[in-house]
Structure formats: C-alpha cells, structure tokens
Amino acid sequence: MLMDSGKHQSWAFISMTYDELAHIVETKGLHTQLLTWLHENVSSTFAERFLGDPEQLAERYLLNGPPLATLSLDSEEPTILDILNHNGDAAELGLHQAVKRPTALSSPGAARRLRGCLLSCLPALLRLIQVCEKALGDGSLGDIDALLVCGIYMLPPITTNTFVPDRPQPQFTIAEPGDADNDCSALISKDALISSDEDSRRELVARVSAWPPELRRILCSSLYVTANWLRETINAFADQRSEEIRSKVLVRVNQLSKIESVLVSLATTLGGTAYEFNPISAGLVPEVSDTPVLRNVGSVSGASVNPAVRFSSNSGTNMDVDSTQGGG
C-alpha cells in the first residue's frame, strides 16, 4: 500500500499509509536511525499542521482576545490542537475567509489538489508518532504528554445574530469583545460541552441547536474530529504506569461519551436539511473509491516546530501507547 499511496489523490488514503507505517514500526520494527528520522519528520509535520499556542493562533485568526479552547486538562499547558484551521466545512461555507488573517488563508498547491480533508489524517498521525515514541523511548510517551491534556480549538469568536435566511452565502461576523452571550466560541469553551450537570449540558445543546445550520454543521465536523482525537489519545495513554496519567485518561473517557452525545444531538437537528452532517462528504472518512485492496493492519486509527521540539506538558510525567479505529 505504501507503493500505491502516490496514485490516490486523497488525504484519506494518505491516512491509511500512516497507519501502515505505524503497523510496520509496531510489529516488524525499523533500524534505529531510520526510526529516528521517521519520528522527527512526522512529529515536525504534525506540529506544524495541527498544533499552536495562543500567540500563534492570534497570528492565524482575527480574535478579540485570547483563543478560547475547549477540553483542556491543564490550564498551564499552552499547546492547543487547532481543528478549525483544517475544517473543510468551515472553508467551504466561507468561515475561514471571515476569520482568518489574509496571510493564513493560502495553502500549498499540492494540498489543495488532494480530495477530502487533512483532518482525516489526524488520528493516524498521532498513532504513528506514539508508536515511534514508544519504540524509541522504551514504552514511555513522556515527551508527548502534552497531547493528552492540550485544549482543542473548534470555533472562532463568531456572533450568531447576523445571519439572514436564504442568503446565498452565509455572513459570518466577528463577535464584539465581551459579548459572550452571542460569541459561539465562548458558549462552547472550556468544559461547557462536557459539563457534569446534565441540565446545563442539555440547555447548551438547545442553545446551539438554535444556531444557523451553517455553524451547526461546522461544529459537528469539529466534534467528530474531537471524538476521534480523544479516542486515539485514550488508546495511546491508557496503559501508562503513572497514576496521574491514568486519571487524565479516565477524564478523557468521560469526555468522549459526552462529546459523542452532543454530536448526535446536533447532527439530528440537521437531518433532512441542505446542511446535513455527513462525515464522508466532509472528507473525514474514506470513500469507497479511496479504499482499494487494503489488507487488515489490525487496530488502526484513523505552530511551526522543528524536528527536535517535543510535545511535553508541564507535568513531566510519562506515558505509553496503543491505538484503535479513529475514523477521523
């Protein structure tokens, strides 16, 4: 399959190639020098594509304050997983043009030619990184533990009250500073989506269900990717010996069930509409045409940083790895 990857112009097939590489590293092993080279290059690509800190996100988006991330387990960890940057629905519906700075709108020509969405590679990339990390670090994921606790950036500070029904192109407007009641990112920030208070969570879902359908579909895409990310981090870090890490894994498990519940509720509100959420059409999972003769490789998933930079959180604890179906 590695030999065929260049023939298929889709991110989904590239994701399968990453899974194949992870399987080879995990079951057959690679020479240490080759493994180190693979790990450094993949980690660098991953960080450049998907990670950032508040300053980098402020350079990427038109913000009226610090970026409001969701689901962070460590308030002192600056690393943020930027899902919005590659959300295909956000690009298609014009949100990127409204909230990104002009310098952040361009993308490499080769990337634009690929079918699907770059986010479909996210689980497989994480799996490849953690498999390499385990092979090089005697089972420890201590150098990438920030990925377990980092916050996730799903939506920009867009206001919900400027949409006009039947407008050919949605009109997205940056929310006024301090207008938290109409700021989409503020409504879902921190732990709002996974509140332990079921009534509060139900009320939030009701408020979000009143958003324009364009915004709801964009959020559904982000929630789908988030669920796959949480699933992959859970499988990666579940067998670590650190009690602190295990407790955080349990928190992620609890968050995953709630995120999936919110996703189902919101996707249901879009059923039968022009904005119906479909992860296949959104490019988040492979189409049949992207899956030619694949062997079963077992349980597979789905800020500019140089190769030497590590994803270590402030906790300094260790961790381990495994993986599962990501679908993202």
Side-chain angles (χ1 to χ4, degrees):
M1 189 174 74
L2 297 177
M3 297 296 294
D4 290 337
S5 62
K7 302 177 184 178
H8 301 271
Q9 300 295 312
S10 73
W11 287 115
F13 200 88
I14 291 175
S15 174
M16 296 176 202
T17 303
Y18 287 140
D19 271 326
E20 180 81 0
L21 278 169
H23 177 74
I24 291 172
V25 172
E26 194 170 32
T27 61
K28 302 181 183 301
L30 293 176
H31 186 278
T32 302
Q33 187 174 358
L34 177 58
L35 182 62
T36 300
W37 175 87
L38 175 65
H39 181 39
E40 289 180 345
N41 280 272
V42 172
S43 296
S44 178
T45 298
F46 174 83
E48 183 178 358
R49 292 282 189 174
F50 296 110
L51 300 183
D53 57 32
E55 290 185 2
Q56 289 170 320
L57 265 63
E59 293 176 357
R60 186 174 299 157
Y61 300 105
L62 299 169
L63 304 177
N64 52 30
L68 297 177
T70 304
L71 306 183
S72 173
L73 297 185
D74 185 347
S75 60
E76 297 183 358
E77 173 55 56
T79 304
I80 298 173
L81 178 70
D82 186 5
I83 287 178
L84 175 63
N85 191 32
H86 301 291
N87 187 314
D89 283 333
E92 177 185 343
L93 295 171
L95 180 61
H96 282 171
Q97 286 74 12
V99 302
K100 278 190 171 184
R101 297 186 185 278
T103 55
L105 284 173
S106 60
S107 59
R112 288 197 301 267
R113 289 195 296 269
L114 294 177
R115 294 196 310 276
C117 179
L118 177 58
L119 289 172
S120 64
C121 297
L122 183 57
L125 262 175
L126 175 57
R127 179 171 188 258
L128 178 56
I129 289 171
Q130 53 98 343
V131 166
C132 291
E133 188 75 25
K134 182 178 182 181
L136 291 169
D138 194 26
S140 171
L141 297 183
D143 284 336
I144 63 171
D145 60 355
L147 300 183
L148 177 64
V149 302
C150 68
I152 301 172
Y153 195 59
M154 299 187 194
L155 286 179
I158 287 294
T159 181
T160 64
N161 58 10
T162 58
F163 285 74
V164 177
D166 301 323
R167 182 187 293 272
Q169 182 70 17
Q171 178 180 331
F172 297 97
T173 305
I174 302 293
E176 294 293 330
D179 187 14
D181 289 339
N182 292 308
D183 183 342
C184 295
S185 63
L187 290 173
I188 66 166
S189 65
K190 299 182 180 179
D191 298 330
L193 291 168
I194 44 88
S195 172
S196 57
D197 185 340
E198 189 171 343
D199 290 337
S200 297
R201 201 165 65 251
R202 189 180 296 114
E203 180 182 352
L204 175 67
V205 170
R207 292 186 66 182
V208 174
S209 297
W211 288 3
E214 300 92 337
L215 272 179
R216 276 180 277 154
R217 194 175 88 177
I218 292 170
L219 180 57
C220 281
S221 291
S222 290
L223 290 172
Y224 185 90
V225 174
T226 296
N228 282 327
W229 170 260
L230 293 180
R231 190 174 293 110
E232 199 65 41
T233 56
I234 289 166
N235 284 292
F237 293 99
D239 58 356
Q240 294 300 287
R241 298 176 182 177
S242 165
E243 290 299 325
E244 182 180 2
I245 291 301
R246 289 183 178 182
S247 67
K248 290 176 180 176
V249 169
L250 289 176
V251 172
R252 288 306 198 198
V253 171
N254 185 49
Q255 291 178 343
L256 173 60
S257 64
K258 293 174 180 175
I259 288 294
E260 288 180 332
S261 176
V262 172
L263 172 59
V264 170
S265 298
L266 291 181
T268 300
T269 68
L270 295 171
T273 72
Y275 297 97
E276 184 172 12
F277 173 65
N278 185 327
I280 295 179
S281 62
L284 300 175
V285 293
E287 297 185 57
V288 174
S289 60
D290 289 329
T291 56
V293 192
L294 301 180
R295 70 169 182 78
N296 184 357
V297 297
S299 58
V300 296
S301 70
S304 182
V305 181
N306 66 51
V309 172
R310 316 294 282 176
F311 315 127
S312 179
S313 77
N314 295 319
S315 64
T317 49
N318 295 333
M319 41 200 67
D320 197 352
V321 27
D322 199 335
S323 189
T324 184
Q325 180 70 28

